[in-house]
Amino acid sequence: MRSPASLLRPLLAATAGVLLLAGCGSSGADTPSASPSASSAAGEEPVVEGDTCAQLREAGANGASFGPVQAALPKVDLIAAIEEKLTPLQQSDPAADVAAEWSTAQSYLEQYLVAAQAAPDGGTVTDATLFNPGSEVTDAQDALTDWWFATCA
C-alpha cells in the first residue's frame, strides 16, 4: 500500500500546475475564486476527490443538492431551501475538476440567501437574476450535478 504522502504528491503537482495556468490569464486583480480554501490556508493537506464526496455527504449533500432552488417559496421556506444547497458547498473543499463551477454556484447561492433574508416576512425574492440566474449559473449547477453522479453517487 502506498503511503498517503506518495499519493498526495501527484495531486499537489497537478494543483500547482492548474494554479500556475490560472494565474497566466489573470489581470493581476485578486479574485475570490482564486483564494485558497480554509483548510489550505490553515496549512493542512489538500483534500482528494474521494474526501470531497465524504465531506459533501457529511454536510447533507445528495443528487439534488446542486440543482436550481424553487423560486416561488415564502421567505422562511426559501431560506431553508437555499441553506440546504449552500451548506454542503461551504463545508466541503471543492474537487479540482469542478472548482470553478463550485465557486459560481456557491457565490450565486450566497447572493440568493442574502436577498431571501432581506425579503419581507411572508414575501419572496423578486430579483429575476436570482430566481432565473442565467446560463453561467445553470451550467455550473449542471456540471456539479453531473460530477456528483459520476464521482460520488
Side-chain angles (χ1 to χ4, degrees):
M1 178 179 219
R2 294 173 61 185
S3 73
S6 68
L7 293 172
L8 287 175
R9 281 188 202 106
L11 179 64
L12 291 172
T15 302
V18 168
L19 292 174
L20 180 63
L21 288 174
C24 289
S26 81
S27 63
D30 290 334
T31 58
S33 61
S35 64
S37 69
S39 65
S40 296
E44 296 176 20
E45 293 295 324
V47 174
V48 296
E49 200 163 81
D51 290 339
T52 298
C53 294
Q55 288 177 3
L56 286 167
R57 280 188 201 93
E58 273 185 42
N62 59 48
S65 294
F66 308 105
V69 175
Q70 183 179 351
L73 294 174
K75 177 180 180 174
V76 68
D77 296 331
L78 181 59
I79 290 171
I82 295 168
E83 287 176 340
E84 184 178 326
K85 292 179 182 293
L86 180 58
T87 298
L89 293 172
Q90 291 176 326
Q91 293 182 356
S92 306
D93 293 317
D97 55 341
V98 289
E101 292 86 352
W102 189 295
S103 177
T104 297
Q106 183 173 339
S107 294
Y108 161 72
L109 289 169
E110 288 168 346
Q111 291 172 5
Y112 204 169
L113 181 60
V114 168
Q117 290 168 335
D121 288 340
T124 60
V125 173
T126 58
D127 183 348
T129 62
L130 291 173
F131 61 79
N132 187 14
S135 64
E136 180 181 13
V137 171
T138 58
D139 289 350
Q141 291 169 331
D142 290 346
L144 287 170
T145 300
D146 291 347
W147 172 84
W148 170 268
F149 284 107
T151 309
C152 301

